[in-house]
Amino acid sequence: MTQPPLRSFRESPWRYSQFVILGLIAAGLVKWLSPLTWLAALGIGAVAGIGYLLLEKKRGAI
């Protein structure tokens, strides 16, 4: 049984997971360090993840 050829991370369906993880980490830090609610913290995390996605698109990494 032969294995399929390895794909690069850029071709992987998981390539966008890094932005979700960054957003969740940012939301957790905001919630931990500030008195904001979870909804506000998740909104800030979403903005951070989307901002990083747009930065990587501008750089041409995606």
Side-chain angles (χ1 to χ4, degrees):
M1 184 161 123
T2 60
Q3 292 185 347
L6 294 177
R7 295 186 291 180
S8 69
F9 186 68
R10 182 180 284 191
E11 298 167 343
S12 167
W14 292 99
R15 67 183 170 270
Y16 295 110
S17 64
Q18 62 186 334
F19 306 109
V20 174
I21 292 169
L22 174 78
L24 290 174
I25 290 171
L29 284 173
V30 167
K31 179 60 182 154
W32 182 50
L33 295 173
S34 73
L36 294 174
T37 64
W38 269 112
L39 187 58
L42 287 173
I44 292 169
V47 168
I50 291 169
Y52 182 52
L53 171 70
L54 294 175
L55 176 72
E56 290 295 318
K57 280 190 177 240
K58 185 176 180 181
R59 281 185 47 219
I62 294 181

